[in-house]
């Protein structure tokens, strides 16, 4: 018999989580105005709101924290992190920031200006936010395969080179400060970008002389998918693949809270000394001095260690295997989920799950609330509420896909928890025909409404 994968860690410390009753959850979610962000975490049994900053650090990471150097300038922790970034990712220059969006803020302050276009593959919300905040436009060049949720296609994170070249050829170079490649692509369902595609995008970037920046939050999961799915990479280590990926990048922004398995942190890494010098000014203004940015010494030490652990094959195999373990159970029960399964999350197709609910009643949000009531499991809506209103007409923007994202924290839950999540969602699926009413909005903020929106039952 072929031996299955098993977690590449054992458990040294545990944290108690509490079950609750359906009656309690009905009260609590009403009190939270049917917004899962408003729930106290003690009222959640299994929390799949995000995989960001929610991972479990290792004994080596905790040990590294004890030796953190909190000097304002020139801390040894800074040099530890600098070495890890050089060895694992290959960059000579880096700036620490407090998280991913801070890295975007600093780098875009140098590079993006009014009227610019920034092509990429389904830019993440904060990335798009920082582009639009500067009155520039994020142009989505994701491949068409990504929009068919049932299509089994290995690299749905890919940029369509034809769409990209159309933009590059149409506008002057001065209007396109960078191309952003998000690996893996969160907004298209945690889907990877192939090495082949990275090469094609890099060739176009070189042809038009435009910098190529990787949004790298889940770069290690991307490298794992290249290893297991792309021809010619099976015998390469994840670390070798990561190094190859970044030979094609001019720079990267990083939310370390994902694949570097720390609870807080981020950075910018660059090949150009000139760009590093320009970004340094903004880093000092917005984040902190060059050798700590937005991070304490102990956090930089834990991050250096996390970059190493997060790019180990055995860890990635069990991490991504666990996500697929949940996905398979849902598929077997007929629950409509996005295929192939993402690296960090399972995305449930809420329109197919609740076909009788009108889009005006917030389909994915309704499903998220039902899952919470059923089992105390908290996912997140990626649908109409997140899509906000059109800034000009103030009408709701109805996205093509209404998704419920179940993001799996790293090294936190066991497969028994996955069984519990699957059972909860399958129970909702079995009573889906009884769910005929959704929600209406009681109050909302003018932008980023999903965090604070208040809802009531229709
Ligand atoms: N880029 C991607 C692809 C992300 O998924 C995120 C965050 C960021 C940038 C911003 O990083 O949160 O450290 O400021 N994604 C989280 C999520 C919030 O739940 O998917 P940050």
């Amino acid at each position: 018999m072929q031996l299955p994968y098993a977690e590449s860690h054992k458990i040294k410390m545990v944290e108690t989580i509490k079950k609750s009753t359906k009656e309690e959850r009905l009260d609590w979610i009403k009190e939270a105005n049917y917004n899962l962000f408003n729930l106290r975490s003690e009222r959640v049994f299994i929390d799949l709101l995000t995989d960001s900053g929610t991972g479990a650090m290792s004994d080596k990471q905790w040990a590294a924290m004890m030796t953190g150097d909190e000097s304002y300038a020139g801390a040894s922790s800074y040099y530890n992190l600098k070495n890890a970034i050089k060895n694992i990712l290959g960059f000579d220059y880096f700036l620490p920031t407090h998280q991913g969006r801070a890295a975007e803020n600093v780098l875009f302050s140098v590079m993006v200006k009014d009227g610019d276009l920034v092509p990429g593959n389904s830019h993440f919300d904060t990335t798009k936010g920082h582009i639009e905040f500067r009155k520039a436009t994020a142009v989505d060049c994701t491949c068409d395969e990504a929009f068919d949720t049932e299509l089994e296609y290995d690299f749905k994170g890919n940029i369509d080179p034809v769409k990209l070249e159309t933009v590059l050829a149409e506008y002057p170079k001065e209007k396109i400060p960078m191309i952003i490649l998000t690996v893996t692509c969160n907004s298209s369902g945690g889907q990877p970008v192939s090495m082949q595609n990275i090469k094609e995008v890099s060739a176009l970037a070189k042809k038009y002389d435009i910098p190529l920046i990787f949004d790298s939050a889940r770069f290690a999961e991307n490298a794992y998918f290249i290893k297991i799915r792309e021809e010619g990479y099976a015998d390469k280590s994840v670390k070798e693949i990561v190094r190859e990926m970044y030979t094609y990048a001019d720079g990267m922004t990083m939310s370390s809270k994902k694949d570097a398995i720390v609870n807080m942190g981020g950075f910018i890494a660059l090949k150009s000394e000139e760009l590093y010098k320009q970004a340094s000014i903004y880093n000092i203004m917005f984040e902190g001095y060059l050798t700590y940015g937005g991070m304490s010494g102990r956090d930089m030490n834990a991050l250096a260690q996390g970059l190493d652990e997060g790019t180990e094959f055995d860890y990635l195999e069990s991490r991504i295997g666990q996500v697929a373990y949940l996905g398979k159970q849902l598929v077997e029960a007929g629950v409509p989920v996005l295929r192939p399964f993402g690296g960090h999350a399972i995305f449930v197709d809420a329109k197919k799950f609740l076909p009788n609910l009108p889009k005006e009643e917030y389909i994915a949000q309704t499903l998220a609330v039902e899952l919470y009531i059923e089992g105390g499991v908290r996912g997140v809506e990626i649908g109409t509420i997140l899509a906000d209103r059109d800034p000009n007409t103030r009408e709701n923007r109805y996205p093509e896909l209404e998704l419920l994202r179940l993001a799996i924290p790293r090294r936190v839950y066991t497969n028994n928890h996955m069984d519990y999540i699957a059972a909860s969602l399958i129970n909702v699926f079995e009573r889906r025909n009884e769910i005929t009413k959704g929600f209406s909005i009681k109050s909302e903020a003018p932008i980023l409404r999903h965090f604070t929106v208040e809802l009531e039952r229709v």
Side-chain angles (χ1 to χ4, degrees), residues 50 99-101 104 124 126 186 215 218 255 258 405:
T50 179
Q99 61 183 80
R101 66 199 72 182
E104 292 163 358
F124 182 68
T126 60
N186 186 8
D215 176 349
R218 301 178 182 86
S255 168
K258 284 89 169 170
R405 185 182 78 170

Side-chain angles (χ1 to χ4, degrees), residues 336-399:
V337 301
L338 193 145
R339 310 290 296 273
F341 307 132
H344 68 296
I346 295 297
F347 293 74
V348 184
D349 188 331
K351 273 196 208 165
K352 290 194 182 132
F353 196 113
L354 298 173
N356 300 323
L357 215 62
K359 65 181 190 310
E360 292 77 10
E361 294 181 14
Y362 307 108
I363 306 168
Q365 181 67 18
T366 305
L367 183 56
V369 169
E370 288 298 335
L371 177 62
Y372 172 71
I373 293 169
E374 181 66 34
V377 177
R378 171 159 71 171
V380 74
E381 187 247 26
I382 313 252
T384 305
I385 295 180
L386 180 73
D388 262 317
R389 289 179 190 274
D390 183 291
N392 300 317
T393 66
R394 300 305 301 156
E395 291 296 321
N396 267 330
R397 291 193 276 213
Y398 293 104

Side-chain angles (χ1 to χ4, degrees), residues 292-352:
Y292 73 87
M295 299 182 73
S296 51
R298 54 180 170 269
D299 285 343
M300 287 191 283
N301 265 6
L303 171 53
Q305 175 64 26
L307 281 171
D308 184 42
E309 292 175 16
T311 48
E312 281 298 313
F313 177 80
D314 288 351
Y315 152 72
L316 284 163
E317 182 184 45
S318 62
R319 188 276 184 288
I320 292 175
Q322 184 175 56
V323 176
Y325 174 83
L326 170 62
K328 275 184 210 133
Q329 291 191 53
L330 297 174
V331 167
E332 274 161 27
V335 177
V337 301
L338 193 145
R339 310 290 296 273
F341 307 132
H344 68 296
I346 295 297
F347 293 74
V348 184
D349 188 331
K351 273 196 208 165
K352 290 194 182 132

Side-chain angles (χ1 to χ4, degrees), residues 49-53 98-104 122-127 130 182-187 215-218 253-258 264-266 344 380 382 405 407 451:
L49 189 69
T50 179
D51 63 321
S52 180
H98 78 273
Q99 61 183 80
R101 66 199 72 182
E104 292 163 358
S122 304
H123 310 65
F124 182 68
D125 320 7
T126 60
T127 319
H130 275 295
T182 307
V183 290
T184 59
C185 190
N186 186 8
S187 306
D215 176 349
S216 302
R218 301 178 182 86
T253 54
M254 177 69 182
S255 168
S256 308
K257 302 165 72 172
K258 284 89 169 170
M264 192 51 76
H344 68 296
V380 74
I382 313 252
R405 185 182 78 170
F451 291 120

Side-chain angles (χ1 to χ4, degrees), residues 61-120:
Q61 286 179 290
W62 282 106
M65 289 193 78
M66 294 305 291
T67 57
D69 176 358
E70 307 303 341
S71 305
Y72 192 96
S76 63
S77 306
Y78 166 81
Y79 289 102
N80 283 345
L81 182 52
K82 188 174 164 65
N83 286 340
I85 289 171
K86 174 73 187 168
N87 293 337
I88 295 168
L89 302 156
F91 290 94
D92 285 324
Y93 302 99
F94 102 98
L95 290 165
T97 65
H98 78 273
Q99 61 183 80
R101 66 199 72 182
E104 292 163 358
N105 186 32
V106 169
L107 189 64
F108 296 0
S109 291
V110 180
M111 297 180 78
V112 181
K113 56 185 191 318
D114 194 338
D116 281 354
L117 293 132
V118 183

Side-chain angles (χ1 to χ4, degrees), residues 97-302:
T97 65
H98 78 273
Q99 61 183 80
R101 66 199 72 182
E104 292 163 358
N105 186 32
V106 169
L107 189 64
F108 296 0
S109 291
V110 180
M111 297 180 78
V112 181
K113 56 185 191 318
D114 194 338
D116 281 354
L117 293 132
V118 183
N121 51 342
S122 304
H123 310 65
F124 182 68
D125 320 7
T126 60
T127 319
K128 200 171 177 173
H130 275 295
I131 292 168
E132 291 177 351
F133 178 72
R134 291 173 173 81
K135 299 194 165 54
T137 309
V139 186
D140 187 4
C141 299
T142 309
C143 65
D144 290 336
E145 288 85 351
F147 300 98
D148 179 349
T149 57
E150 278 165 53
L151 180 73
E152 286 283 354
Y153 182 70
D154 280 344
F155 292 102
K156 282 183 169 178
N158 282 357
I159 279 190
D160 181 335
V162 177
K163 288 186 197 173
L164 177 62
E165 186 153 23
T166 309
V167 180
L168 301 184
E170 192 174 334
Y171 296 92
K173 171 172 135 50
E174 297 67 41
K175 285 254 168 258
I176 307 174
M178 63 174 89
I179 299 165
I180 294 183
L181 189 64
T182 307
V183 290
T184 59
C185 190
N186 186 8
S187 306
S188 67
Q191 302 291 318
V193 178
S194 69
M195 193 70 84
Q196 170 71 25
N197 193 248
I198 291 174
K199 287 182 192 168
E200 284 165 1
V201 170
S202 159
L204 284 172
K206 288 208 168 68
K207 180 174 165 190
Y208 290 89
D209 193 23
I210 312 256
L212 176 57
I213 306 294
F214 287 10
D215 176 349
S216 302
R218 301 178 182 86
F219 73 98
E221 292 173 5
N222 199 93
Y224 171 84
F225 281 122
I226 289 176
K227 180 176 167 71
I228 59 162
R229 292 185 184 168
E230 193 163 350
E231 219 187 301
Y233 288 92
D235 296 331
K236 293 215 157 79
S237 70
V238 172
K239 284 194 164 65
E240 283 167 339
I241 296 169
V242 166
R243 280 303 290 265
E244 185 181 338
M245 281 166 60
Y246 284 98
T247 59
Y248 298 103
D250 296 296
M252 64 184 276
T253 54
M254 177 69 182
S255 168
S256 308
K257 302 165 72 172
K258 284 89 169 170
D259 275 4
I261 331 177
V262 290
N263 303 115
M264 192 51 76
F267 59 88
I268 300 166
L270 296 164
K271 287 189 182 154
S272 153
E273 186 181 6
E274 178 53 31
L275 194 52
Y276 163 77
K277 282 186 180 157
Q278 290 170 3
S280 295
I281 303 165
Y282 291 99
N283 216 65
I284 293 173
M285 273 201 305
F286 297 152
E287 291 295 302
Y289 180 64
L290 301 178
T291 61
Y292 73 87
M295 299 182 73
S296 51
R298 54 180 170 269
D299 285 343
M300 287 191 283
N301 265 6

Side-chain angles (χ1 to χ4, degrees), residues 6-20:
E7 284 71 12
S8 61
H9 59 261
K10 55 182 179 175
I11 296 166
K12 191 175 290 208
M13 189 188 277
V14 297
E15 181 182 343
T16 301
I17 50 176
K18 280 211 184 72
K19 278 197 181 174
S20 50

